[in-house]
Amino acid sequence: MRARVHMHLEPAAWPHKGLSPVNKVLAALILLAVFFAVVETEPIVVERRGAAILTIEAFFTIVFLVEYVLRVWIAPEKPAYAGRFGRLRYIVSVPALIDLVALLPGLFVFIGSEAFVVRLFRLLRILRLARLGRFSMAIHAITDAMKSRQYELLMSLTIAGILLLISSTLLYLIEGSAQPDRFGSIPRAMWWSVATLTTVGYGDVYPVTPLGRILAGLTAITGIGLIAMPTGILAAAFSDAIQTQRKEERDDVKGDGR
Amino acid sequence: MRARVHMHLEPAAWPHKGLSPVNKVLAALILLAVFFAVVETEPIVVERRGAAILTIEAFFTIVFLVEYVLRVWIAPEKPAYAGRFGRLRYIVSVPALIDLVALLPGLFVFIGSEAFVVRLFRLLRILRLARLGRFSMAIHAITDAMKSRQYELLMSLTIAGILLLISSTLLYLIEGSAQPDRFGSIPRAMWWSVATLTTVGYGDVYPVTPLGRILAGLTAITGIGLIAMPTGILAAAFSDAIQTQRKEERDDVKGDGR
Amino acid sequence: MRARVHMHLEPAAWPHKGLSPVNKVLAALILLAVFFAVVETEPIVVERRGAAILTIEAFFTIVFLVEYVLRVWIAPEKPAYAGRFGRLRYIVSVPALIDLVALLPGLFVFIGSEAFVVRLFRLLRILRLARLGRFSMAIHAITDAMKSRQYELLMSLTIAGILLLISSTLLYLIEGSAQPDRFGSIPRAMWWSVATLTTVGYGDVYPVTPLGRILAGLTAITGIGLIAMPTGILAAAFSDAIQTQRKEERDDVKGDGR
Amino acid sequence: MRARVHMHLEPAAWPHKGLSPVNKVLAALILLAVFFAVVETEPIVVERRGAAILTIEAFFTIVFLVEYVLRVWIAPEKPAYAGRFGRLRYIVSVPALIDLVALLPGLFVFIGSEAFVVRLFRLLRILRLARLGRFSMAIHAITDAMKSRQYELLMSLTIAGILLLISSTLLYLIEGSAQPDRFGSIPRAMWWSVATLTTVGYGDVYPVTPLGRILAGLTAITGIGLIAMPTGILAAAFSDAIQTQRKEERDDVKGDGR
């Protein structure tokens, strides 16, 4: 019995391709629960649909509580958590602790206070999303690609930091007296600088003196270079990954031909 | 007679390279009709040139109606629509139904009401554009290129979604009390977050607290990474396509040399 | 005598590497003249430095007039303009006509009127910049690279156009009644749409309804794809050009080894 | 004794991998000193924490002064600065002069004036950052990559300049009469043009006439091409660098196999 529950709940234990139907439903419920956790921060929704929200939260809490208890029960099926204190070791493992922490807000839904701590506490439910990582290895693949070029990407960030410092120092010197509340210190000028270098350009702060505008134009053009660097690095990394894969396929074909 | 009309109307049946003169004229008329459908939504144009618009619409409706009737008539020339009920099967085929639906608004130009349903109904004329797809295979080529990397592009979208959730949750916590109407809930903060991560930066919403601005700067820098990922993936995909093509050309040359 | 002037004025006739000293000075003067043509459109400059501007313009006009006369004089040195009517044929050639048209405003500096035609006429001096093209082949190199991928780049533009049409049609339907002056017709919504898809985001127009904002977010994310496409195409094209060049170098080395 | 200090202070003299503990502490102190130099430009910080700032500055000044004196003392350990006048030659070398200039503001912290010259003088402390370059060769690596494609990157800049000139000239002609203070001269229109072409889009200036908006849309689309060009060039350069490295590794493996 425990072995069958384990087979359905543990992705690695499922003998067929993909996820088991139980895990598919759980993944969908997690996405739905995160969606509701996001929507419930909206005061208008809370006002109008307060009762419905409590019911929905109660439902999710019961489902995930049952899932949590089942996962603790089947833990010894895995060799890592077998033997004495196996379940205890599972309970204090990082994924199980995240599950528990994400469950807590649901157990205290009756707290109606709007204090910051309560608000923060409720948002723990969004942590449920992290549990989806268990079902998918896709995120690991892309982070691996980034890790292979982490040195170059870090250099891009360093250059970005230096450009940020230079442009905000210059604008502080030039625009500081014309707009003291916006460019009156380097940290203040940095708010403009980061918006310009990343080409976001909110438009709440911008230079007004001719020299300031010329420097802002140069900063914006430099910003394009800042976009070009990581993009170029990642493009090269992805291109390299594809070619390595192609080469392996070709070598396999040659091997078969012998 | 029907065979000749078929040869001129059906791109695949044209024995020469490119499109037949009749289809070239039709493609131009479709572009013109879509242009007019767009312009006619402008109230100033309707006020000043109401009569001219009705005439133009009547002209397009007659031309596309004649084309539709001709296409129904020649349908049995194609093996797929030959035999009994062939024309009926053509009429209920997807492209013919799109033709018919795009024709409908022209048949009811006399409805002067400005109700939402009528407005929506009129816009069906823009669907005529979809008919151009019949004349060109270019769009299919680029969508194929995207499909070959759909897994990686989907991962980029997922990462974008996660970053959107993280940044709007943080800004909601930090700026929520300072600007309740703009950051007072995660869905509200998302409007700022999507504008910042995509580097659009409308500037209608931006953080004002120092901590909020630091996080906004980090979000904007992350946004550059978000642009870099799909760009890098597509660059690698296009590069791979070019190389495969070059390799094939080289292999052909080697084959000829034997 | 005429042969020597020809050698110094005609870039192709210069026996040494690079540009002749005379042409270097002329290129610098052209850049300076364009700079002044730009600055002189500023009313504040005209008010304060009116007299100085007239002197500067007179100087440039004389220099370029002398250059023009010399170029007409030496024209028969080139085989293309040799023989009878050779100089006349040179005068009606496109580059010589551009030279002449760019000279005209200088000859009429005394017209003090600020009428639109006069303003436009003065700007003809900016055409002098086109003459720099004669000294440099760099621009041709990059346009060649673009031409090799013109089909894919054109496809990107077509897709951009379709996305522009779709997003502005949707926003017109959704936001049209909430903000009739900004989204009350498809052409009006297009102004918002182009600013969002290109991630410029002026912030003068943005949706206010929840559904409009969700669609705007999707449009902005699509805009990133729109940036990614041409970038990816060009990256692949440049990468291909480098590899072809490397391969040629390698083949040359192998050829030498035999 | 001097040899041991030299070994700990001079990165190249350190026999182990990475930086010596002394240099690691110095690098951290430099980053901290720059951080404080930036923060101290903020008037609120100066008001509230004036005394603390003086203490911090005194601390940094003493540390870097000691370091400077030590570096002068150990200079003759390097062959380049050995022999008579070796220390003097070190003192007038560029890195030592930067160290000295960055030290000066700390020696004059008692100047309480807020005059522009004093402000500028204080910012010399940011120059300390340049000293970090001594500890890291990372920046050199990425600038080398850029140098290898400097010709193409320069061409991108030239094309950007030409597009800037064309778009601002056109907008000046079209929008000049409608918004004379914003588009009344080409230099004024350039402020809008640079914000649009780099897709920053502050939103303080934008065209209002229909023709101006159409041209602005075209400018924004061109801006995407402007981002695509340097990105594509850098992507190709990085891709080429990776492949060259891979090829070398493969050649090494082949060599070992013999």
Side-chain angles (χ1 to χ4, degrees), chain C residues 41-42 119 138 142 202 246, chain D residues 155 172 185-186 188 192 196:
Chain C
T41 61
E42 175 60 48
R119 224 158 65 171
I142 219 159
Y202 288 120
R246 288 270 153 131
Chain D
M155 283 201 291
Y172 154 68
S185 73
I186 296 178
R188 287 178 200 195
W192 165 84
T196 301

Side-chain angles (χ1 to χ4, degrees), chain A residues 149 155 159 165 172-173 184-188 192 196 199-203 206 213 216 220 228 231-232 236 240 243-244, chain D residues 38 41-42 44 116 119-120 123 126 129 138 142 157 191 194 198-202 204 230-231 235 238-239 242-243 246:
Chain A
R149 295 286 134 198
M155 283 201 290
I159 291 175
L165 188 63
Y172 153 67
L173 287 170
S185 73
I186 295 178
R188 287 178 201 194
W192 165 83
T196 301
T199 77
V200 168
Y202 289 121
Y206 47 84
R213 292 195 161 183
T231 307
D240 185 47
Q243 272 181 32
T244 309
Chain D
V38 164
T41 61
E42 175 59 48
I44 298 171
F116 184 78
R119 225 161 63 171
L120 194 63
L123 285 176
I126 289 175
L129 199 67
I142 219 160
L157 263 184
W191 172 243
V194 79
T198 59
T199 78
V200 167
Y202 289 120
D204 56 332
T231 307
F238 284 116
S239 197
I242 291 176
Q243 272 181 31
R246 289 268 153 129

Side-chain angles (χ1 to χ4, degrees), chain C residues 34 38-39 41-44 116 119-120 123 126 129 138-139 141-142 146 157 191 194 197-202 204 226-227 230-231 234-235 238-239 242-243 246 250, chain D residues 149 151 155 159 165 169 172-173 184-188 192 196 199-203 205-207 213 216-217 220-221 224 228-229 231-233 235-236 239-240 243-244:
Chain C
V34 169
V38 163
V39 164
T41 61
E42 175 60 48
I44 298 171
F116 183 79
R119 224 158 65 171
L120 193 65
L123 285 176
I126 289 176
L129 199 69
I139 302 294
I142 219 159
M146 279 179 154
L157 262 184
W191 172 241
V194 79
L197 276 175
T198 58
T199 78
V200 167
Y202 288 120
D204 57 331
L226 222 62
I227 295 174
T231 308
L234 281 182
F238 283 116
S239 198
I242 290 175
Q243 272 182 32
R246 288 270 153 131
R250 251 180 298 159
Chain D
R149 295 284 134 200
Y151 186 66
M155 283 201 291
I159 291 176
L165 187 64
T169 304
Y172 154 68
L173 286 171
S185 73
I186 296 178
R188 287 178 200 195
W192 165 84
T196 301
T199 78
V200 167
Y202 289 120
V205 188
Y206 46 84
R213 292 196 160 182
I221 289 165
I224 287 181
M229 259 189 302
T231 307
I233 291 164
S239 197
D240 184 46
Q243 272 181 31
T244 309

